[in-house]
Amino acid sequence: MSQASHAIEYRLKVSTRARHVRLRVKPYLGLEITVPKRFPKKYIPEILQQHESWIARQLQEQQQSLQAIALPQHIQLSCLQQTFSIGYETSAKIRLSENADQLIIQHETEQQAIKLLRNWIRRLAKTSLTPRLHELAREFGFKFDKVAIRSQKSRWGSCSSSGTISLNDQLLFMPAATVRYLMIHE
């Protein structure tokens, strides 16, 4: 086994739904290895060695793409018909403060700033989309048990058999009419 595969940092995720080992390189998180529940962990170094060149290539591409990303100076939330300007301050304090139509993000690293912004979007989605969904439920006479707000990659929304409606926090960036249509659909 080469030295490089010993040095590769990764997060291990054990999944009851996984049937095979899956390697993914995630933004800001690096390599994630998902394994089935009873997978023998002693084989992970061997898997790292077998896929060493692919992992290195993916990590390099990820790093290059992240360097190209600039922190936004403003954010437009079409669903709410609001635009926020964003100011950044390098600080030992890590926090986001909101004042009317302006956000101030205090951070040490860009990753912290992005995490703060994502968390703010998710909270805002929960406080603004949930009441709209309840309103539509009353208007159209449908029922649901719970609302979940997530940052999904491939779905705008879904409805489970247990009555939970999941909405993507990125709906805030969509026109209000589109969001309304999607909520009625779910």
Side-chain angles (χ1 to χ4, degrees), residues 52-62:
E52 190 174 347
S53 62
W54 178 86
I55 294 168
R57 200 170 49 252
Q58 294 299 312
L59 289 170
Q60 169 108 24
E61 287 175 15
Q62 187 71 251

Side-chain angles (χ1 to χ4, degrees), residues 114-132:
I114 290 169
K115 186 175 181 182
L116 286 169
L117 194 53
R118 284 185 176 155
N119 289 340
W120 176 79
I121 288 170
R122 185 168 297 143
R123 282 191 312 273
L124 184 61
K126 187 159 189 69
T127 60
S128 60
L129 296 178
T130 302
R132 289 177 186 219

Side-chain angles (χ1 to χ4, degrees), residues 134-183:
H134 283 287
E135 204 175 285
L136 286 171
R138 279 191 303 279
E139 183 181 336
F140 288 95
F142 61 80
K143 294 182 182 185
F144 60 92
D145 290 327
K146 201 164 93 175
V147 179
I149 304 294
R150 298 192 172 103
S151 296
Q152 299 157 304
K153 289 183 182 178
S154 61
R155 291 180 182 221
W156 290 111
S158 63
C159 182
S160 72
S161 59
S162 65
T164 299
I165 295 182
S166 294
L167 298 173
N168 193 321
D169 60 9
Q170 301 299 300
L171 286 171
L172 292 178
F173 297 94
M174 303 293 288
T178 304
V179 174
R180 177 182 164 84
Y181 172 81
L182 183 110
M183 288 179 173

